[in-house]
Amino acid sequence: MVSDNERRHLFAVLEERLGPEPAATMMELLPAGGGADLARRSDFIAFKAELRGEMAELRGEVRELRGEIRGDVGELKGQIAQLSAHVDGLLPKQIAANVGSMVAMAGLVIAAAKFL
């Protein structure tokens, strides 16, 4: 870390050799905290590798979720097919029961009409 005294000394040397305006421009271009705040190419390469690793991990998790969803959808389709078959099996019984009830009701109506 560069101290304020070192920055002032650098400015004085630059001002003496380059003049006031170029020295001021040069000081504005230098980071206030020194080089510690600057990112190096190696920092970007390391960050890129880390980011790629995280992206690969995320892709794996997405693939895993897709597999789980496909399994759940398959299971749900099976349950729907079972329910549909059950309903299809009940439907003829329900129709037969309703027809039987209607025939019995018609018989009662006819019998009641004969007594009247």
Side-chain angles (χ1 to χ4, degrees):
M1 184 84 154
V2 178
S3 70
D4 285 339
N5 285 337
E6 291 169 325
R7 284 184 68 83
R8 278 193 288 275
H9 177 69
L10 176 62
F11 178 71
V13 170
L14 288 173
E15 190 176 36
E16 179 183 305
R17 297 210 177 147
L18 302 176
E21 286 183 33
T25 301
M26 184 64 137
M27 292 305 289
E28 286 181 29
L29 293 174
L30 296 174
D37 292 338
L38 296 176
R40 297 184 184 104
R41 181 175 174 81
S42 60
D43 295 330
F44 284 110
I45 291 170
F47 177 72
K48 181 180 172 182
E50 181 181 341
L51 186 58
R52 283 188 176 185
E54 289 179 9
M55 288 172 56
E57 184 178 327
L58 184 59
R59 280 191 209 104
E61 290 175 6
V62 167
R63 273 191 228 101
E64 186 178 318
L65 282 173
R66 282 182 182 158
E68 289 176 16
I69 289 170
R70 284 185 185 127
D72 290 345
V73 167
E75 183 180 332
L76 185 58
K77 284 181 179 179
Q79 290 175 354
I80 289 171
Q82 287 177 346
L83 182 60
S84 179
H86 181 70
V87 168
D88 288 346
L90 289 177
L91 194 58
K93 293 176 186 175
Q94 186 66 38
I95 290 171
N98 286 344
V99 168
S101 296
M102 287 190 292
V103 169
M105 185 64 72
L108 286 173
V109 169
I110 292 170
K114 286 188 178 185
F115 285 114
L116 292 175

